[in-house]
Amino acid sequence: MEKTGHRPVLLAETLTALCIRPDGVYVDGTFGRGGHTGAILDRLGPTGCLIALDQDPEAEAEALARFTGDGRFEFVRTSFTRLLPVLEARGLVGRVDGVLLDLGVSSPQLDTPERGFSFMRDGPLDMRMDPMRGESAAQWLARADEAEIAGVLKTLGEERFARRIARHLVEQRAVMPIERTGRLAALIAEAIPRHERHKHPATRSFQAIRLYVNHELEALDECLAQIPAALAPGGRLAVISFHSLEDRSVKRFIRRQSEGEPVPRGLPVTAPPPGRTLLKIGKAQRAREDEVEANPRARSAVLRVAERLS
């Protein structure tokens, strides 16, 4: 286990997928608490290079504490949507041998009540990856109308009782502002007529609100669009998703880049379709039973891999 208590998910599978070269250039687009970063650095030689990105100030503090003094490592506090500008500033566009994206929130973020990500621990209802920027979950819930709240819960949380929950939240915020995770979780539970076994009734709604507040799906698409330009020929992309909508975006992106532009029906095909930039590598991978037993949060993790074509 890491010193921070954070277990990097699908670690062995990710390292294998990245095919790490000792002298390679790698980007960890979601540093988190550095579990994957540390393992990649262990496999790099003295001429290797790893750039880590993260917008969380606590991630920056962890990076400085753990890796200051390692000349192969650089941390940039920014979103992975800034991948190409970061590489352009260092002359590394088209020279990266591997990019890792470990999506969603890290275990330490969930375990810190003050961040407001978890319905299991009462704290301020924040949910922002970067607590210094943007609108918090509490601020959004205070201003959004019933239709907007229901739309977010249904679209991003796939919550079947989205309208009932939204109506109840709007009614109850008129009585008292919804500013704590504990109260939000309790109100969601009140609004749902039937609870699933072994699943907290607020699970889908909390995921949906977090995705919305941080614009996570839009950010993912923006980052993925930069991958072909970032990678060197033969460079690998490895993405770990925990949410079905994130995984769907990654799957579609890899398929689109692997298949290229559609050729009009009836046209004789004498060469590969134009626009092909990536080759899909293997099937989607999930955590083994022993990893899930040791770390239940790995249960929903999905790893997808692609390689940059020449």
Side-chain angles (χ1 to χ4, degrees):
M1 182 183 292
E2 296 294 314
K3 290 185 291 184
T4 59
H6 172 55
R7 295 173 181 265
V9 172
L10 289 165
L11 179 60
E13 294 84 350
T14 299
L15 296 174
T16 298
L18 289 173
C19 294
I20 297 168
R21 294 171 30 207
D23 61 346
V25 176
Y26 296 88
V27 175
D28 183 346
T30 49
F31 177 84
R33 295 302 179 266
H36 289 102
T37 284
I40 294 171
L41 284 171
D42 286 344
R43 286 157 178 76
L44 289 183
T47 60
C49 169
L50 191 152
I51 300 170
L53 314 178
D54 205 300
Q55 56 188 327
D56 187 342
E58 294 179 7
E60 180 179 33
E62 182 72 17
L64 294 176
R66 290 185 61 187
F67 301 116
T68 292
D70 190 331
R72 306 167 301 166
F73 174 78
E74 181 182 3
F75 180 88
V76 182
R77 187 178 161 196
T78 191
S79 166
F80 57 32
T81 60
R82 299 280 300 162
L83 175 62
L84 279 184
V86 168
L87 297 177
E88 286 170 355
R90 291 155 182 79
L92 292 174
V93 173
R95 296 175 55 194
V96 176
D97 297 297
V99 175
L100 166 64
L101 303 177
D102 181 8
L103 306 176
V105 292
S106 67
S107 296
Q109 286 174 320
L110 283 170
D111 294 339
T112 304
E114 292 76 20
R115 300 301 301 273
F117 286 111
S118 176
F119 47 76
M120 301 299 291
R121 296 170 175 81
D122 184 53
L125 186 56
D126 195 311
M127 294 196 190
R128 289 172 293 177
M129 298 291 191
D130 182 347
M132 305 303 293
R133 300 183 62 185
E135 185 177 45
S136 71
Q139 290 169 329
W140 176 68
L141 282 174
R143 69 156 182 84
D145 61 25
E146 182 179 322
E148 183 180 353
I149 296 172
V152 167
L153 300 188
K154 182 175 179 60
T155 303
L156 299 182
E158 300 174 313
E159 173 56 70
R160 60 182 298 197
F161 298 112
R163 296 176 74 177
R164 293 178 65 121
I165 295 170
R167 186 181 310 119
H168 191 52
L169 295 182
V170 169
E171 290 171 353
Q172 292 303 309
R173 78 184 181 190
V175 178
M176 184 173 70
I178 305 171
E179 298 177 338
R180 307 283 298 183
T181 56
R183 181 159 187 256
L184 175 60
L187 292 175
I188 293 169
E190 290 172 5
I192 295 180
R194 295 184 298 279
H195 296 179
E196 299 176 55
R197 290 185 63 189
H198 311 302
K199 191 167 191 175
H200 193 287
T203 300
R204 291 189 177 92
S205 295
F206 266 65
Q207 283 185 336
I209 295 170
R210 190 204 82 219
L211 287 168
Y212 180 80
V213 166
N214 294 288
H215 308 289
E216 291 180 47
L217 294 182
E218 297 90 340
L220 174 58
D221 288 341
E222 189 175 344
C223 176
L224 290 175
Q226 302 172 54
I227 294 298
L231 289 175
R236 292 285 183 93
L237 167 68
V239 186
I240 302 171
S241 307
F242 292 83
H243 190 284
S244 61
L245 295 179
E246 292 173 333
D247 182 54
R248 196 176 305 160
S249 292
V250 176
K251 180 180 179 180
R252 288 174 176 171
F253 168 77
I254 292 175
R255 183 175 62 217
R256 192 165 56 245
Q257 298 301 317
S258 297
E259 294 178 353
E261 300 173 14
V263 178
R265 186 175 298 177
L267 192 69
V269 178
T270 58
R276 290 185 68 217
T277 65
L278 300 177
L279 174 67
K280 175 186 172 185
I281 302 295
K283 297 181 179 180
Q285 300 179 62
R286 295 184 176 272
R288 302 181 309 275
E289 287 186 15
D290 58 336
E291 180 176 3
V292 173
E293 185 176 346
N295 179 16
R297 287 173 179 164
R299 185 181 306 279
S300 58
V302 180
L303 171 66
R304 295 188 186 273
V305 185
E307 180 176 293
R308 181 68 164 98
L309 294 169
S310 299

